[in-house]
């Protein structure tokens, strides 16, 4: 039995795909072709036979719940050095509507760019872990 060739993937590409995931969709990675396939009950990239996803060549990217962006936001706030900004961002994360308030507060305290850089790096680390768990060879665009 011959082992199937696994195509390497850029971590930044995996991270970018993960940002598209929501609670009604999944994205699969085809280890033979290196392509990502978007799937939801309402729409998909192409005419997909769901039985194909049962084959070993497809691996599902982490779900929105596995990624847990709220925890990433909390960690970002913990790392903010300015006590006033940290307090404002921490309060923004409390209760219903936290995501919207957090983004509004980021804008007010001029930390939007820092947040997106932090979030991108967090998603790249999640992508690295996902690749390693699934035996998918990967590259980092910044290092190639």
């Amino acid at each position: 039995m011959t082992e199937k060739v696994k195509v390497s993937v850029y971590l930044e590409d995996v991270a970018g795909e993960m940002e598209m995931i929501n609670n009604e969709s999944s994205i699969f990675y085809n280890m033979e072709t290196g392509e990502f396939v978007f799937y939801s009950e309402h729409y998909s990239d192409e005419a997909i036979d769901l039985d194909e996803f049962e084959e070993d060549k497809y691996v599902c990217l982490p779900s929105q719940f596995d990624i847990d962006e709220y925890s990433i936001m909390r960690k970002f706030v913990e790392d903010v050095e300015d006590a006033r900004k940290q307090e404002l961002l921490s309060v923004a994360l409390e209760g219903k509507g936290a995501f919207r308030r957090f983004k509004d507060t980021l804008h007010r305290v001029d930390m939007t760019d820092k947040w997106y850089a932090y979030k991108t790096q967090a998603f790249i680390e999640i992508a690295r872990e996902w690749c390693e768990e699934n035996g998918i060879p990967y590259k980092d665009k910044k290092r190639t």
Side-chain angles (χ1 to χ4, degrees):
M1 182 173 175
T2 60
E3 187 174 320
K4 295 180 180 178
V5 175
K6 294 179 182 174
V7 177
S8 60
V9 65
Y10 285 109
L11 294 175
E12 294 83 355
D13 293 344
V14 176
E17 292 291 330
M18 287 188 316
E19 290 197 44
M20 307 290 275
I21 295 171
N22 61 50
N23 62 351
E24 296 179 2
S25 68
S26 298
I27 296 179
F28 293 85
Y29 178 70
N30 184 323
M31 293 192 293
E32 292 177 3
T33 67
E35 296 175 321
F36 292 96
V37 179
F38 176 85
Y39 176 79
S40 81
E41 289 184 27
H42 309 291
Y43 173 82
S44 64
D45 284 339
E46 52 193 63
I48 296 174
D49 177 6
L50 289 179
D51 292 335
E52 273 192 62
F53 292 122
E54 299 299 322
E55 297 175 22
D56 290 342
K57 69 181 178 181
Y58 287 100
V59 180
C60 189
L61 268 64
S63 72
Q64 178 182 22
F65 303 104
D66 294 330
I67 294 168
D68 192 8
E69 190 172 338
Y70 185 81
S71 288
I72 297 169
M73 293 160 59
R74 278 260 173 240
K75 289 175 188 168
F76 173 78
V77 171
E78 289 172 10
D79 291 347
V80 172
E81 293 179 9
D82 182 303
R84 181 183 155 276
K85 291 179 180 182
Q86 185 183 53
E87 176 66 22
L88 290 169
L89 290 165
S90 183
V91 169
L93 286 176
E94 295 175 10
K96 193 172 185 166
F99 282 83
R100 174 81 277 163
R101 269 193 319 279
F102 181 73
K103 288 182 181 180
D104 290 345
T105 304
L106 284 168
H107 182 70
R108 273 197 334 233
V109 298
D110 195 30
M111 294 193 73
T112 303
D113 290 343
K114 286 183 181 180
W115 159 245
Y116 283 112
Y118 185 93
K119 178 182 170 185
T120 296
Q121 196 56 44
F123 272 62
I124 287 171
E125 286 309 311
I126 295 167
R128 183 184 322 277
E129 290 170 13
W130 175 82
C131 286
E132 289 173 358
E133 287 171 10
N134 290 287
I136 298 169
Y138 60 86
K139 300 176 188 173
D140 187 336
K141 285 182 181 178
K142 291 181 182 177
R143 296 178 192 202
T144 54

